[in-house]
Amino acid sequence: DDFESSLLSFEKLDRASPDLWPEQLPGVAEFAASCKNPITNSPPKWMAELENEDIEMLKELGSLTTANLMEKVKGLQNLAYQLGLEESREMTRGKFLNILERPKK
């Protein structure tokens, strides 16, 4: 019991002082204050611009396993590559047909 009482500190610190407790990361105080507010049923700001199709896609992607998600990403990469090849062919075609030249004045 004497050992435990020897560990006690009776020092009083004023936690309201900005000198003793400066904000280490800017914006943390505002974030913490916003978290104390009661949770409302309104959706977050970033969800306000989403359509129903977007929300369904988010739910679908969120339900995928890691392997399935990686497969989906690989499919999107392949699609982007194919679109790049197609765009390159069309640009070359436009160049040969002279449809990309500016009209001469």
Side-chain angles (χ1 to χ4, degrees):
D1 189 41
D2 290 331
F3 177 70
E4 286 183 18
S5 63
S6 69
L7 294 176
L8 292 177
S9 172
F10 297 104
E11 184 179 2
K12 301 291 183 199
L13 295 177
D14 180 15
R15 294 180 183 264
S17 170
D19 296 327
L20 290 176
W21 305 98
E23 187 174 17
Q24 303 257 334
L25 300 171
V28 172
E30 290 86 15
F31 177 75
S34 71
C35 289
K36 290 180 182 177
N37 293 338
I39 298 175
T40 60
N41 290 335
S42 62
K45 292 178 188 175
W46 60 269
M47 283 191 69
E49 299 176 7
L50 296 180
E51 297 177 2
N52 286 338
E53 293 176 12
D54 300 328
I55 294 171
E56 290 301 318
M57 177 161 293
L58 283 173
K59 289 179 183 177
E60 176 188 336
L61 293 174
S63 67
L64 294 176
T65 64
T66 304
N68 290 344
L69 189 59
M70 291 302 295
E71 193 64 34
K72 186 83 165 175
V73 169
K74 286 179 186 177
L76 290 173
Q77 288 175 332
N78 289 337
L79 180 61
Y81 179 76
Q82 293 297 326
L83 288 173
L85 289 178
E86 187 177 333
E87 180 183 18
S88 175
R89 280 194 299 269
E90 292 299 323
M91 292 299 286
T92 303
R93 183 175 173 221
K95 181 180 173 185
F96 287 136
L97 294 174
N98 293 326
I99 61 173
L100 300 176
E101 285 186 8
R102 294 185 180 183
K104 295 179 181 177
K105 296 182 180 179

